[in-house]
């Protein structure tokens, strides 16, 4: 994996060298036209000649998106003496897990869906029966008749919840732009 780096030269007062050819001195960062170079040797030469020091900028590696179970495996691997072996024993995707272990990870939000059945009616007056979590009987679902499918948090289900409640034969619409609650 090749890393592309940029180099700046900074002095003890927090000012930067201008590689764009301004007068040979350090400037505030706002005044510098070209504060970086991709040539390490040039940056090192300037730093030695001016009593400055080289600052390297490295692009941060992209974090891997994991589901909750994979994230737990990576977290547990940090406390293990042989993390690669631990992750290989817990997951089929060792490369993904190692990338997450080394570069960091984010937990991907589980997709959520609106679940409904179209009951028919005329084009303008379609009726839908929409599933939602019951506030009266927690852990159960109820159905509401409506003219349009609503996207409130009480009506959003993950795939595992759809299977749990036996809603696989219903129509599903993926919800985008929701906040996790």
């Amino acid at each position: 994996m090749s890393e592309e780096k940029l180099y700046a030269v900074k002095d003890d007062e927090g000012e930067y060298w201008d590689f764009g050819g301004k007068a040979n001195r350090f400037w505030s960062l706002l005044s510098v036209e070209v504060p970086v170079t991709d040539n390490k040797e040039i940056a090192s030469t300037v730093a030695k000649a001016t009593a400055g020091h080289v600052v390297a900028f490295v692009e941060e590696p992209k974090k891997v998106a994991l589901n909750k179970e994979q994230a737990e495996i990576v977290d547990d691997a940090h406390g293990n003496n042989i993390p690669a072996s631990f992750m290989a024993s817990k997951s089929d995707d060792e490369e993904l897990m190692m990338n997450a272990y080394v570069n960091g990870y984010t937990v991907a939000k589980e997709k959520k869906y609106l679940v409904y059945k179209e009951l028919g009616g005329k084009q303008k007056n379609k009726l839908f029966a929409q599933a939602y979590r019951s506030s009266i009987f927690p852990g159960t679902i109820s159905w509401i008749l409506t003219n349009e499918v609503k996207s409130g948090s009480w009506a959003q289900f993950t795939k595992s919840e759809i299977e749990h409640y036996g809603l696989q034969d219903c129509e599903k619409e993926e919800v985008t732009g929701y906040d996790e609650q």
Side-chain angles (χ1 to χ4, degrees):
M1 176 171 104
S2 71
E3 291 182 351
E4 293 185 30
K5 295 182 183 179
L6 295 175
Y7 304 94
V9 177
K10 186 176 178 182
D11 69 3
D12 292 336
E13 275 78 54
E15 293 184 327
Y16 291 84
W17 189 262
D18 191 339
F19 291 97
K22 273 190 175 179
N24 291 336
R25 69 182 195 99
F26 289 92
W27 301 84
S28 72
L29 187 56
L30 294 174
S31 300
V32 177
E33 290 178 15
V34 183
V36 296
T37 179
D38 61 354
N39 190 316
K40 185 177 182 179
E41 289 77 29
I42 290 174
S44 295
T45 302
V46 169
K48 286 178 187 172
T50 61
H53 58 275
V54 176
V55 179
F57 299 95
V58 181
E59 189 173 338
E60 189 175 322
K62 187 176 179 183
K63 292 184 177 184
V64 177
L66 301 178
N67 62 36
K68 289 178 185 176
E69 293 79 24
Q70 291 170 324
E72 286 176 17
I73 293 169
V74 172
D75 288 342
D76 292 345
H78 281 282
N80 194 288
N81 290 336
I82 309 171
S85 295
F86 176 80
M87 289 185 291
S89 71
K90 302 287 183 182
S91 172
D92 291 336
D93 197 343
E94 186 177 354
E95 185 177 355
L96 175 73
M97 303 302 270
M98 284 304 299
N99 281 333
Y101 184 86
V102 172
N103 298 328
Y105 66 88
T106 59
V107 179
K109 288 184 179 179
E110 203 171 350
K111 289 183 181 179
K112 293 194 176 182
Y113 302 87
L114 302 175
V115 179
Y116 59 93
K117 291 185 179 186
E118 191 174 324
L119 301 176
K122 294 183 180 172
Q123 197 63 17
K124 278 189 169 181
N125 297 318
K126 281 187 178 179
L127 279 177
F128 300 94
Q130 184 173 359
Y132 69 97
R133 286 182 185 76
S134 175
S135 59
I136 298 171
F137 302 106
T140 64
I141 60 163
S142 296
W143 294 89
I144 186 171
L145 291 178
T146 180
N147 289 358
E148 65 179 310
V149 178
K150 308 256 193 286
S151 64
S153 62
W154 49 270
Q156 297 176 9
F157 296 89
T158 63
K159 278 192 174 187
S160 59
E161 291 172 327
I162 289 170
E163 289 175 19
H164 173 75
Y165 293 121
L167 302 172
Q168 297 91 325
D169 63 337
C170 298
E171 295 181 54
K172 294 162 222 40
E173 181 180 317
E174 186 176 337
V175 180
T176 57
Y178 64 90
D179 290 327
E180 231 174 276
Q181 301 194 8

